[in-house]
Amino acid sequence: MKMLKTLVIAATLAIGAPALAQDTTAPAAPAAATAAPATPAVATPAPAAEAAAPAADATYVPMKPTDGIGQPVQGGIDFQPQATDLGQRAKNLNNHVLLPIMTVVALFVLGLLLWVILRYRAKANPVPSKTSHNTLIEVVWTAVPALILIAIAFPSLSLLAAQYKPASADAVVIKVKGYQWNWGYEYPDHGIGEYISKMLDEPAAKAAGEPFQLAVDNRMVVPVGQEVKLIITGADVIHSFAVPALLTKMDAVPGRANETTFTVNKPGVYYGQCSELCGVDHAFMPIAVEALPPEKFAAWVRSKGGKMPGEAAPAPAPAAAAPAAAAPAAAPATVPAAAPAAAATN
Ligand SMILES: [Cu+2]
């Protein structure tokens, strides 16, 4: 029967450790201009698109990180401030439900132990009782832990189900690939081919005003308020894509496509790290997710040579208008004439 109590405590501890573990690396983020992301290190499959909309590049300016947001803090013991509704729910569940229950159970068991040690020691209790059963107590210490576990199971399992609910059809799809030792990001619906995201060295991170060992050259950029679906895989060994402030942790396994989703609710830069021991430079493949308002996200997409889904390629519009104005009689011909132009610039 005493095994039960041990089991309850073990189970409570296990349930109380969700995937938003706090990173312990020390941040150092003086305010300064953020470095402009470098051009993709890997050739995109649509190089022609690079020239399609250079005018829009100027409107994307990499966001500066905020101290204490999306990154660890010195001496921090709580989870990072959560930037998704589900993350906030998980944090509330931990801080307001699980931690109080664990505290009460631990203190109660400690109290029982102290009472037994003091009250029933040989000196204070020379003639021990020969009682071996007490039905009421045995029923209580079986039923109460079971009821506690059932009470915890409802919010825990519904949170887990919400976290792994399949993404909606209009989610922003990003393919994430873990390499030894950097990350590749690809936006198939936006025409952005894979680009590589590497850690900045210390002088570069300092110059950019970003925390060293978390700052990267090319961030993953996502829109705020829209669901993001990550399809995650590994190129060589198992990595793990983890961003504590987004309640996101998913293994990147070679030969498998794992999926996870999140919806960021406020703009910001959120850092994470590879969280699966993957080799000698495991500690040096950080993750930086930049969440932007939708219009700024669209500007970033254009700066990468891509386009928003459903959006016409920017260049063909004037090209189609010109022949229509010059030769109105040839108007029916403009549509087929524009089509190859669109194909060429896309
Ligand atoms: Cu890794």
Side-chain angles (χ1 to χ4, degrees), residues 212-233:
F212 174 48
Q213 294 190 342
L214 292 177
V216 302
D217 55 356
N218 295 302
R219 295 169 176 167
M220 171 194 283
V221 179
V222 301
V224 165
Q226 199 182 339
E227 203 168 24
V228 175
K229 171 164 119 180
L230 302 183
I231 301 171
I232 302 172
T233 191

Side-chain angles (χ1 to χ4, degrees), residues 179 181 183 237-240 274-279 281-282 285:
Y179 294 93
W181 289 273
W183 294 95
V237 298
I238 302 176
H239 303 267
S240 179
C274 176
S275 297
E276 180 68 59
L277 267 177
C278 59
D281 279 354
H282 161 65
M285 50 182 297

Side-chain angles (χ1 to χ4, degrees), residues 99-117:
L99 264 182
I101 291 178
M102 283 188 276
T103 308
V104 168
V105 170
L107 289 178
F108 177 66
V109 173
L110 179 69
L112 282 181
L113 271 175
L114 289 175
W115 179 52
V116 168
I117 290 169

Side-chain angles (χ1 to χ4, degrees), residues 147-321:
L147 291 175
I148 292 175
L149 282 184
I150 291 169
I152 293 172
F154 281 101
S156 298
L157 293 178
S158 76
L159 174 67
L160 199 66
Q163 204 183 342
Y164 292 103
K165 206 177 100 192
S168 56
D170 63 345
V172 172
V173 177
I174 306 174
K175 286 190 190 173
V176 177
K177 209 171 197 179
Y179 294 93
Q180 283 178 315
W181 289 273
N182 49 51
W183 294 95
Y185 303 129
E186 180 184 344
Y187 293 64
D189 297 345
H190 297 76
I192 300 174
E194 188 184 63
Y195 62 91
I196 295 296
S197 176
K198 282 206 286 258
M199 189 181 87
L200 292 179
D201 61 17
E202 194 160 12
K206 275 199 176 136
E210 289 191 72
F212 174 48
Q213 294 190 342
L214 292 177
V216 302
D217 55 356
N218 295 302
R219 295 169 176 167
M220 171 194 283
V221 179
V222 301
V224 165
Q226 199 182 339
E227 203 168 24
V228 175
K229 171 164 119 180
L230 302 183
I231 301 171
I232 302 172
T233 191
D236 32 44
V237 298
I238 302 176
H239 303 267
S240 179
F241 184 90
V243 184
L246 304 180
L247 189 72
T248 293
K249 178 177 277 181
M250 180 57 77
D251 274 4
V253 183
R256 288 182 73 107
N258 285 343
E259 190 179 309
T260 190
T261 64
F262 59 79
T263 307
V264 186
N265 59 20
K266 42 185 171 280
V269 182
Y270 306 101
Y271 295 103
Q273 290 169 316
C274 176
S275 297
E276 180 68 59
L277 267 177
C278 59
V280 64
D281 279 354
H282 161 65
F284 308 107
M285 50 182 297
I287 295 156
V289 178
E290 179 175 347
L292 293 174
E295 65 282 0
K296 286 191 177 168
F297 172 72
W300 173 82
V301 167
R302 284 191 287 274
S303 80
K304 280 284 189 190
K307 64 184 178 62
M308 297 303 284
E311 182 183 86

